[in-house]
Amino acid sequence: MSRTINCIIVDDEPIAREILENHLLKIETINVVSTCKNAIEAFNELNSNSIDLIFLDINMPEISGLSFAKSINKNIKVIFTTAYREYAVDGFNLQAVDYLLKPISFERLLQAVNKYLDENITIEKQTTLEGKEEVNDFIFVRSDRKMIKINFSEINYIESFSDYIKIHLEDKTIVTRETISNIEAKLPQKEFLRIHRSYIVSISKIDSFTNEFIEVKKKAHPISRSYKKDV
């Protein structure tokens, strides 16, 4: 995780805030945006800045750290800091990243920060993988004993013949052993339309249509009754 993590420290004890800030300044990926002496100041910081992580004392006057944690955006992660061990269960019930008991050593703080980084690296990797599935503009299919790359933009329509399909491109036709339902699942829904149990057409290549047929590249394809509503 290479990006900077913006954090705030919320604690009513000045010495506790200073110690924690000095520790965090040693960690390159952490940017301490502000230190706050109560939840009200912290709310103002959240409204003014993009914050990723909060180091939050639990036992504070007026608004406790637990109450504050319940009220914030769940995308903002919390590491609780407190002198009271008995709050640990409540802290973890709020899905805190970690729970640090005062006095907090640099080594224990670094362990908590690394835990936060590890969890968010996993989330970002999952997000990236999901995003790639959405933004890919091609697929590979097996034909003539090799894997052939097919750009979605080149597909005119797809035709099914039992366990085989024909993928009709601008300049050629590729035959592969595949069901039309399986290939349909690999296509972006916004770009392709199933019109028949045997036909999928590229929406951008449609020349004209009626209630019965869709014409693609001067070739008419039937619209079946079961797909007519979607069409």
Side-chain angles (χ1 to χ4, degrees):
M1 193 172 194
S2 58
R3 70 178 182 87
T4 299
I5 307 305
N6 291 327
C7 75
I8 59 173
I9 299 167
V10 188
D11 198 310
D12 62 321
E13 299 176 4
I15 295 177
R17 294 197 301 272
E18 183 179 351
I19 291 172
L20 198 53
E21 183 176 18
N22 287 337
H23 284 337
L24 291 170
L25 289 175
K26 300 174 186 176
I27 304 175
E28 187 176 347
T29 55
I30 296 292
N31 173 42
V32 180
V33 175
S34 179
T35 62
C36 308
K37 63 179 180 290
N38 55 49
I40 302 300
E41 290 186 1
F43 274 122
N44 291 333
E45 288 297 330
L46 296 185
N47 289 331
S48 304
N49 298 284
S50 177
I51 303 300
D52 304 298
L53 179 63
I54 302 174
F55 293 88
L56 181 61
D57 185 25
I58 289 180
N59 191 22
M60 294 188 297
E62 297 183 10
I63 301 175
S64 72
L66 292 173
S67 296
F68 176 70
K70 291 175 183 177
S71 67
I72 64 175
N73 188 314
K74 301 307 178 186
N75 291 327
I76 302 173
K77 300 304 180 182
V78 171
I79 295 176
F80 282 115
T81 63
T82 183
Y84 302 95
R85 189 181 299 272
E86 60 265 28
Y87 291 122
V89 173
D90 292 329
F92 283 116
N93 283 341
L94 289 171
Q95 298 183 325
V97 174
D98 211 336
Y99 186 97
L100 304 181
L101 284 173
K102 298 175 181 178
I104 301 167
S105 68
F106 174 73
E107 289 74 20
R108 183 65 183 89
L109 176 65
L110 185 60
Q111 181 182 344
V113 171
N114 283 333
K115 185 178 179 182
Y116 166 82
L117 294 173
D118 289 343
E119 289 179 1
N120 283 272
I121 285 172
T122 301
I123 292 171
E124 288 186 358
K125 282 183 177 179
Q126 291 173 346
T127 302
T128 300
L129 289 173
E130 290 169 1
K132 284 183 178 179
E133 290 176 358
E134 292 176 359
V135 301
N136 277 352
D137 56 0
F138 61 87
I139 54 172
F140 282 92
V141 299
R142 182 176 294 279
S143 183
D144 295 332
R145 298 182 181 180
K146 58 186 176 182
M147 299 301 292
I148 299 176
K149 180 180 179 180
I150 299 177
N151 295 316
F152 295 144
S153 61
E154 297 178 352
I155 299 174
N156 290 335
Y157 64 94
I158 297 169
E159 191 175 6
S160 173
F161 296 91
S162 186
D163 290 335
Y164 289 85
I165 59 170
K166 288 183 179 181
I167 304 175
H168 297 269
L169 308 179
E170 293 288 346
D171 57 353
K172 60 184 175 182
T173 298
I174 294 175
V175 179
T176 182
R177 186 177 178 84
E178 179 74 276
T179 66
I180 194 167
S181 294
N182 284 345
I183 202 74
E184 181 184 15
K186 299 175 184 178
L187 300 171
Q189 293 183 357
K190 293 182 179 180
E191 297 179 30
F192 292 88
L193 182 63
R194 182 83 175 265
I195 65 169
H196 190 280
R197 66 178 184 177
S198 299
Y199 292 101
I200 297 172
V201 300
S202 170
I203 295 173
S204 66
K205 304 296 177 64
I206 294 175
D207 297 319
S208 63
F209 67 92
T210 67
N211 290 333
E212 306 296 331
F213 293 94
I214 284 183
E215 187 177 302
V216 176
K217 298 296 180 179
K218 298 182 179 181
K219 184 173 179 64
H221 306 287
I223 302 172
S224 68
R225 181 177 300 175
S226 57
Y227 289 96
K228 187 166 292 188
K229 183 177 179 181
D230 291 337
V231 174

